[in-house]
Amino acid sequence: MARAGSAKAQRMERLQAELAQGRALHISAVSKLLEVSEMTVRRDIQQNPGKLGYLGGYVVPRGMFEPENSYTLDMAADQQRDAKRRACEIALRHVRAEETIFIDCGTTLIELVDLIPNDMRLTVVCYALNVAERLAHKPNVTLVMLGGVYYPASATFFGPEALATISSLGINVALLSAAGFDWARGATCAHFHEAEIKRKVMATASRNILVIDTSKIGRLRSVLFAESTSFDAIVTELSGDETSQHPAS
């Protein structure tokens, strides 16, 4: 066990030295450099979120993204609450009765759950415990909870069964959240398993709506899950601001 830990530490030291000048290396190049599998590289990144990130297939050093080591739902819930609620009021326009929608994890879209009228009939797919708890009180919502292993940091579930369930559903609208958004890089989140769910849902849904408050714009987190052009609309709190186009330079 000590030998394995030592090998991991040596890999981290070598990789950090390679990335010290602010470089980014493709994961396949890192795999060859360290003489380990790409799966091992991903595991090393996951276990060192304050030092490394993974963006669009590239391993990047701290400083090119914002780590979320200290992120908790309780901390996030109070941040930008009014802006989140306003963004969700606008996003609610994309929700139509009798449709199947997906609601992402985090604290932004919790506000949208509260805004769903009690008399609106919907099928709602989710994988976050805090979202499911709120939806369970909606009398006309059919709740589809994706299963798997529970991840307490984000109160989410993930596993092969979750991905299989998504493939079997007809999702009209996916309402997605992001911990960071950059027009050039795209939408990012803090956890690898969240990114897998988001990508799978986006490949399945007829319409993909990103819902964020403007404090997220210009930030990068450790895992890229979609380019900015992948969304049918990007909704913020700014007076009905809704766009799927890159802003004019």
Side-chain angles (χ1 to χ4, degrees), residues 2-204:
R3 184 174 298 175
S6 175
K8 183 186 298 183
Q10 289 175 2
R11 290 198 302 271
M12 287 299 302
E13 287 179 9
R14 185 173 182 187
L15 181 53
Q16 285 183 277
E18 290 290 329
L19 300 174
Q21 303 303 315
R23 305 173 56 194
L25 292 174
H26 196 274
I27 191 168
S28 60
V30 175
S31 174
K32 291 178 182 177
L33 174 71
L34 301 179
E35 299 180 336
V36 295
S37 68
E38 292 185 12
M39 182 179 296
T40 297
V41 175
R42 290 191 182 93
R43 188 181 302 118
D44 286 351
I45 295 169
Q46 285 182 300
Q47 293 173 354
N48 293 273
K51 297 177 181 178
L52 301 171
Y54 185 63
L55 295 171
Y58 286 83
V59 180
V60 298
R62 181 175 183 171
M64 290 182 68
F65 68 97
E66 297 181 42
E68 295 219 6
N69 305 23
S70 59
Y71 176 90
T72 68
L73 288 175
D74 289 339
M75 289 170 58
D78 290 329
Q79 295 174 0
Q80 306 293 326
R81 173 164 282 173
D82 290 344
K84 291 173 181 179
R85 188 169 184 86
R86 176 57 184 154
C88 286
E89 288 172 352
I90 299 163
L92 189 63
R93 300 170 190 170
H94 293 275
V95 177
R96 300 165 187 161
E98 307 295 341
E99 289 194 338
T100 298
I101 68 172
F102 170 83
I103 297 181
D104 208 348
C105 65
T107 58
T108 297
L109 289 168
I110 278 291
E111 301 292 337
L112 185 135
V113 173
D114 291 343
L115 292 166
I116 295 173
N118 285 336
D119 62 352
M120 180 179 280
R121 293 188 178 278
L122 288 170
T123 298
V124 183
V125 183
C126 71
Y127 67 117
L129 187 59
N130 61 330
V131 174
E133 286 175 339
R134 300 280 186 97
L135 286 168
H137 296 288
K138 295 289 179 178
N140 287 295
V141 164
T142 299
L143 174 60
V144 179
M145 181 69 180
L146 302 177
V149 175
Y150 181 64
Y151 289 77
S154 56
T156 53
F157 293 86
F158 174 75
E161 57 270 48
L163 300 177
T165 300
I166 294 168
S167 296
S168 71
L169 297 171
I171 299 174
N172 300 102
V173 181
L175 296 149
L176 298 133
S177 60
F181 178 78
D182 179 87
W183 283 105
R185 294 288 187 91
T188 54
C189 62
H191 304 287
F192 282 82
H193 72 278
E194 289 178 23
E196 288 198 53
I197 292 283
K198 293 171 193 280
R199 292 187 193 113
K200 187 70 172 180
V201 166
M202 291 183 70
T204 303

Side-chain angles (χ1 to χ4, degrees), residues 204-219:
T204 303
S206 297
R207 303 190 304 280
N208 292 301
I209 314 299
L210 181 65
V211 185
I212 54 173
D213 66 83
T214 50
S215 72
K216 304 296 195 308
I217 297 175
R219 295 183 177 183

